[in-house]
Amino acid sequence: MTGSDGVRCTLMRGGTSKGAYFLAGDLPADPGARDDLLLRIMGSPDPRQVDGLGGGHPLTSKVAVVSRSDDPAADVDYLFLQVAVDRPEVTDRQNCGNILAGVGPFAVERGLVPAGDTETSVRIRMLNTGELAVATFPTPGGRVDCTGDAGISGVPGTAAAVVIEFPQGDGPLLPTGNVRDVVAGTEVTCVDNGMPVVLIPAGALGATGYEEPGDLEEDVTLADRLREIRLEAGRVMGLGDVEDATVPKISLLAPPREGGAVTTRTFIPVRCHPSIGVLGAASVAAGLRLPGGVGEGIAELPGTGDRVRVEHPTGFLDVETDVDPGTGDTPPVVRRTAVVRTARKIFDGAVFPRSAETAPIPAQPSGGHHDSAAR
C-alpha cells in the first residue's frame, strides 16, 4: 500500500531508540525499492529529517521489518534497518537490541503471535545475523499493555518490562581469538556477544571516559583515532572493510562513578551514543568478565550474581551475563545473557512518504550474509 493511501506503520519507542515498525508484506519486496521508500518515509537525507518520521539522530531513524518466521525455532523474523540521517543510505549490517524490545508487542498486536492471558513470550529470529532472542512481556486479558512500573535510564517515566533473553550464539565471543589485541597501536579487547564491540580504556586515547557525548564528538583528534582503530579492528575481527558500516562499535571504559561495574562512552561509529545499545552493552558486560581483558583494573565487578551494571552518559543498563572464561585451548563462551527493556507504542496508522524524486537506490550489502556478523 503506497502513494495516496500511505503505508501502514507503527511508530514505537524501543528501549532508548525510536523507530518505524512495518510488516514485511506492507513494503516492497525488492530491497532497492524498499530502501528508497524508507528514505522518503524517514525524511532522509536531511540533517533534521523535517519531511519525515526521523528525529534527526541515528537513534530515532530506525526501522523494524517483521514477518512470520519459517524457522521452527522462531515465531517471527525481525530485520533491522538503520536509515542514515544526512545521506541516502539504508543498511542492515547490524542488529539493534533497543528496537528489538518492541518487536514482540508489535507481533502480537498485528496478529502474528497469539497473546497469552497474563504474559506472552515471542521467539524472534534476527535476520541481520541469524541469532535468536526471546522477548517476554505482559498481556493481561490477552492484550498488550505497555503501562507498568519498569524504568530504564534515558527514557522518561515508566512502562511495562520487556525481558529479552539471548540464547548462546554459534560465533566466537572473541572474534580474533585473543582476549587482548594491539590494534592501531592501542591495546583493546574485541568481543562479540550479539554486537561486535571494541573495548578500549578511555585513558589510552587521552579521555577520562566521563566527558559529555557532545564534547567527545567535537574532539577531532579523538575522531581520527577512533576511525583508525575501527577500520583496523574490522579487519582483524573478520568484518572486512567497515568504512561504510556502523560496526564494530567502540566503547571507551572508565571506572564506575555511580555504583555500577564500569562507565562507558560508545560510538556509532563516530557519534557518541547518549546511552548504550542493548547488544553493545551485552558485549561490554561479557568482555568485562574475561580474565586478561582491557577491563581488568578498570571495572568493578560484583562479587556474586550475574548482573553487571553498565553506566553510560544518561544512567545505566543492567545486563545479566554468565561467562565461562575457558581454559587452555577451550575458548570462552557465554552461557546466558538477558536484559530488561521497555517499549511503548506511539502511534499506529498510515505514514505518507514524500514523492519519489530519484530512482530507487541500490541495495546495501547484507550483514545477514556476512559470515563474521554472527556472534
Side-chain angles (χ1 to χ4, degrees), residues 7-19:
V7 183
R8 190 170 183 197
C9 170
T10 297
L11 187 69
M12 296 186 72
R13 176 191 58 77
T16 54
S17 294
K18 184 168 62 176

Side-chain angles (χ1 to χ4, degrees), residues 20 31 69 116 123-124 127 129 137 142 144 155 170 184 187 197 201-202 209 229 252 261 273 279 290 309 324 341 365:
S69 181
R123 301 172 303 161
I124 302 165
L127 293 180
T129 60
F137 47 93
V144 174
V155 177
D170 296 329
E187 286 197 334
V197 176
I229 292 169
L252 304 186
H273 201 310
L279 296 172
L290 296 172
R309 176 159 289 185
D324 179 349
R341 296 275 82 187

Side-chain angles (χ1 to χ4, degrees), residues 62-123:
K62 300 184 174 188
V63 168
V65 183
V66 183
S67 60
R68 284 191 174 90
S69 181
D70 59 8
D71 185 335
D75 299 309
V76 298
D77 288 343
Y78 153 54
L79 176 67
F80 170 70
L81 297 172
Q82 179 70 61
V83 180
V85 174
D86 55 0
R87 61 188 185 279
E89 178 182 292
V90 180
T91 178
D92 66 355
R93 293 191 65 181
Q94 69 172 75
N95 275 333
C96 179
N98 276 305
I99 294 299
L100 172 65
V103 171
F106 175 80
V108 169
E109 290 212 333
R110 289 298 182 88
L112 301 183
V113 178
D117 290 336
T118 57
E119 70 174 21
T120 302
S121 293
V122 177
R123 301 172 303 161

